[in-house]
Amino acid sequence: MTETTTKTIDKTAIRDAATVVVLRDRATRPRVLMGQRGAKAAFMPNKFVFPGGAVDAQDAQIPLARALPPLCAARLSEDSSPDMARALAVAAVRELWEETGQILGVPAPWPESIPEDWLEFAGTGHRPSAEPLQFIFRAITPPGRPRRFDARFFLLDADELSSDPDDFDAATDELSHLQWIAVDEIRNYDMPFITEVVLAEVAARATDETPPDSVPFFRNDDEESLFLRLHGAGMRD
């Protein structure tokens, strides 16, 4: 007798993910691009969040027109698999496009066949570019949540977009109420705790356009929670 087994996906396993914090008006009154998750979403329902999501298997194979800056790639590779930096950068561009319709890319032809998930992006005449992304934060979802992610947060200046920052017509319906929210009004919105922590980091960097040498890492393991820094010692009180 042949035994048939059904492979199930462990949705509580930690998945690598990329999140994009798009910042505009940084020299005057900084605003960030956010949207609201649906009431029936398994992860963070009803919360206002940045665009982002899990890394797909094919992300590491997508041809970037421009690569990540060396400093950013080096920080992403710390305490992580060495080939993850590229996949995370591609995931950031893809999730930004899917959830907001915003294009982070440069006008360029694709060198090979275009994956189905990228057909609409490629149809805009662009290839993804990771050069403007700055890696500013990393956080692992605490145990006990319906979904767990090892999320890397990227800061992106809205001036680097190749699309109209106020046009969300190409966005999917995963996030609703897409809008630019002033950082000084952000507490009027229902957000996850970690989003508030990241926003504090963004506010501190609003007038500094240089990438950070050291990146905060909020690591929630099954055994303990630690607030560390990549390329540095543990954070002090």
Side-chain angles (χ1 to χ4, degrees), residues 45-200:
N46 295 315
K47 299 288 188 181
F48 274 85
V49 296
F50 305 117
V55 173
D56 285 349
Q58 68 175 1
D59 284 340
Q61 309 303 319
I62 300 300
L64 286 168
R66 295 175 182 170
L68 281 165
L71 176 61
C72 182
R75 293 296 166 268
L76 285 168
S77 298
E78 291 183 34
D79 198 14
S80 182
S81 59
D83 58 346
M84 185 53 62
R86 176 189 176 90
L88 286 163
V90 171
V93 177
R94 176 178 52 76
E95 290 288 340
L96 180 66
W97 162 252
E98 292 175 354
E99 295 190 350
T100 72
Q102 295 298 317
I103 300 169
L104 179 57
V106 296
W110 286 61
E112 51 196 47
S113 60
I114 303 169
E116 184 176 354
D117 289 349
W118 287 85
L119 286 175
E120 291 188 4
F121 185 98
T124 69
H126 295 81
R127 275 175 55 198
S129 170
E131 188 176 47
L133 294 171
Q134 292 186 2
F135 176 39
I136 62 165
F137 203 94
R138 180 178 176 182
I140 298 177
T141 309
R145 305 294 175 86
R147 300 285 191 278
R148 296 190 69 193
F149 297 98
D150 187 348
R152 282 71 158 194
F153 292 78
F154 295 92
L155 183 62
L156 172 67
D157 195 300
D159 289 341
E160 300 288 352
L161 295 170
S162 298
S163 48
D164 180 350
D166 295 307
D167 182 1
F168 307 125
D169 288 348
T172 63
D173 59 359
E174 188 168 344
L175 291 180
S176 61
H177 305 297
L178 285 164
Q179 59 189 289
W180 293 94
I181 303 176
V183 173
D184 59 5
E185 291 184 353
I186 212 78
R187 293 191 179 277
N188 297 330
Y189 294 80
D190 185 11
M191 298 178 299
F193 164 74
I194 197 62
T195 303
E196 295 187 34
V197 177
V198 173
L199 278 166

